[in-house]
Amino acid sequence: PGASAATSSPLSVFARRVRPRESVAVPPIPEEDAPTSYATLEVLALVAKVDAEAFDACVETSNGLELTRSPVAETGLIWSDRQNRLAWLPNGMVGGMIFKGPHETVSRPGMTMRVRATGAYRVYVAIEAEYNKQTALARNGSGLPDWLLKNGWEAETQNPPAWGDSNSTLKMLSLRCAEGRDLEFPLFPPSSSASEAPLLMMVVVANIPLGSERIGDELRRAFKTWDVQDKLGGLHIEDLKTLLTALCPNLGAAGLKSVLEQ
């Protein structure tokens, strides 16, 4: 708390952390708590401190739809037009942001999705790969998962989340993007000869520098790509420490130790 120079009276200081693009309003004062004279109520200052390390992301489609976002949470809503909720979250999605569009999209040639973020990130997509009923076909955008795999995306080994339909089997893929990279990918395979196809997909964007565990996971992914057959061994601990110090200067001693212990 501070003090007013004019009256030397103590000041009450309140603070709240605000997410990117979140609107904030001062709550009304209940009548029973209001002062006898409103002339004695004075707001002296409002200060906004920018969090330079805050992470934000935006996902939009080529037809002008910007997907709404919210933190990934168990039992959280998945789509903007359905009440289906997440269950059995994979570790990679925890701490990320889910971007909510329609439950089912009719994808057509030329349709794309664009992802932008303020830092390095990994984007996860979970697309319906199978539907366990003979009368229904998988809503996979005319083979979009296979196209993504052929164009740099990774197939996740962890189980995809459940969403309330036991007949639906999702396939989860991901792609790491460096800071400053805008990612644009098709929602309809350019190689497909179809004119349109249904697409059921969920999108999650995760901040890579969120914590030591996620950084450690990214390092393991990188080494696996480099040493596909797991025969070359790894890096000496001191070499890894030097590499982390150069690449992640803000990790700190405690964070560095946590990554190395993994």
Side-chain angles (χ1 to χ4, degrees):
S4 169
T7 63
S8 298
S9 61
L11 300 177
S12 296
V13 179
F14 302 92
R16 177 186 168 189
R17 189 171 187 181
V18 182
R19 293 195 303 269
R21 304 186 220 178
E22 179 185 359
S23 299
V24 176
V26 178
I29 300 175
E31 292 184 4
E32 60 270 18
D33 297 334
T36 54
S37 172
Y38 280 95
T40 61
L41 182 62
E42 183 178 7
V43 177
L44 295 180
L46 175 64
V47 178
K49 181 180 179 181
V50 177
D51 187 348
E53 297 181 359
F55 178 80
D56 188 25
C58 173
V59 177
E60 56 193 2
T61 62
S62 55
N63 57 0
L65 175 64
E66 183 173 345
L67 278 63
T68 58
R69 72 196 191 290
S70 62
V72 172
E74 196 80 32
T75 72
L77 291 174
I78 307 171
W79 294 291
S80 59
D81 58 351
R82 295 289 180 92
Q83 292 299 307
N84 299 97
R85 296 180 180 271
L86 287 166
W88 306 106
L89 288 174
N91 291 334
M93 287 187 174
V94 175
M97 289 187 288
I98 186 167
F99 288 82
K100 293 175 282 191
H103 165 257
E104 184 178 321
T105 301
V106 177
S107 61
R108 297 183 175 90
M111 289 181 62
T112 62
M113 179 168 284
R114 187 182 185 190
V115 183
R116 293 175 291 162
T118 57
Y121 61 96
R122 180 170 288 275
V123 57
Y124 295 88
V125 296
I127 301 173
E128 188 173 73
E130 297 178 11
Y131 200 82
N132 191 26
K133 280 189 177 180
Q134 294 182 351
T135 57
L137 297 175
R139 294 160 287 186
N140 62 7
S142 190
L144 182 58
D146 293 337
W147 188 93
L148 293 175
L149 285 173
K150 293 176 182 177
N151 287 272
W153 289 66
E154 303 174 43
E156 291 292 318
T157 56
Q158 50 192 330
N159 291 329
W163 62 274
D165 187 342
S166 59
N167 290 307
S168 176
T169 300
L170 302 180
K171 187 170 188 176
M172 195 162 70
L173 304 95
S174 74
L175 183 69
R176 178 174 60 85
C177 297
E179 182 175 355
R181 176 187 174 185
D182 289 356
L183 171 66
E184 188 168 10
F185 61 94
L187 295 178
F188 191 90
S191 56
S192 175
S193 59
S195 59
E196 62 181 33
L199 176 63
L200 186 148
M201 181 174 72
M202 60 181 74
V203 183
V204 170
V205 177
N207 178 16
I208 288 179
L210 178 65
S212 57
E213 184 176 346
R214 195 176 294 281
I215 293 174
D217 177 63
E218 292 298 331
L219 282 172
R220 285 190 292 272
R221 288 174 182 266
F223 292 148
K224 188 174 181 179
T225 302
W226 165 63
D227 185 9
V228 178
Q229 299 179 347
D230 198 22
K231 293 182 178 180
L232 301 178
L235 294 177
H236 292 293
I237 193 73
E238 288 302 319
D239 294 333
L240 182 56
K241 183 176 181 180
T242 302
L243 178 64
L244 282 171
T245 302
L247 295 178
C248 310
N250 297 324
L251 192 57
L256 182 62
K257 181 181 177 182
S258 177
V259 173
L260 294 175
E261 288 177 347
Q262 296 182 47

